[in-house]
Amino acid sequence: MEEKLDLEMIAMTLIGRAGESKSLAYQALTAAKEGKFEEAEEFMKKASEEMIKAHEIQTDLIVKEAGGEKLDVGLIMVHSQDHLMGAILFKDLVKEFIDLYKKLYDKK
């Protein structure tokens, strides 16, 4: 039962890191929309730092399982992976939007 509690805490941490990354990426998008590209880049840098922390958590779990450790994957862990993938996609799309906003502002 102790392992399950640990996995639940890991999953909640993963959700938090992914959520923070997504929130920072959204702030970057808002800044870029206003033409504040240096601010947008700083938000994206912070979003990437949070994403790296989330990936480290995920990688640690993958390494444990690949090493033969049996992990009790429940709905909360699946949910955390969904959050992570959504945040990755969102961050990637925000980067593309920032590039588009830069082009639009350059034409003014």
Side-chain angles (χ1 to χ4, degrees), residues 2-53:
E2 187 176 323
E3 181 187 358
K4 185 175 182 182
L5 179 62
D6 288 344
L7 282 177
E8 287 175 359
M9 290 297 291
I10 290 168
M12 293 305 292
T13 302
L14 192 56
I15 289 168
R17 295 276 187 211
E20 182 65 13
S21 179
K22 187 176 177 183
S23 176
L24 289 161
Y26 187 81
Q27 291 176 49
L29 181 61
T30 300
K33 187 176 182 180
E34 297 170 359
K36 300 175 184 174
F37 298 110
E38 287 182 22
E39 188 177 320
E41 291 303 320
E42 188 59 34
F43 279 123
M44 287 301 284
K45 180 181 173 189
K46 291 177 182 177
S48 292
E49 290 168 0
E50 284 298 316
M51 190 60 67
I52 287 168
K53 292 173 185 175

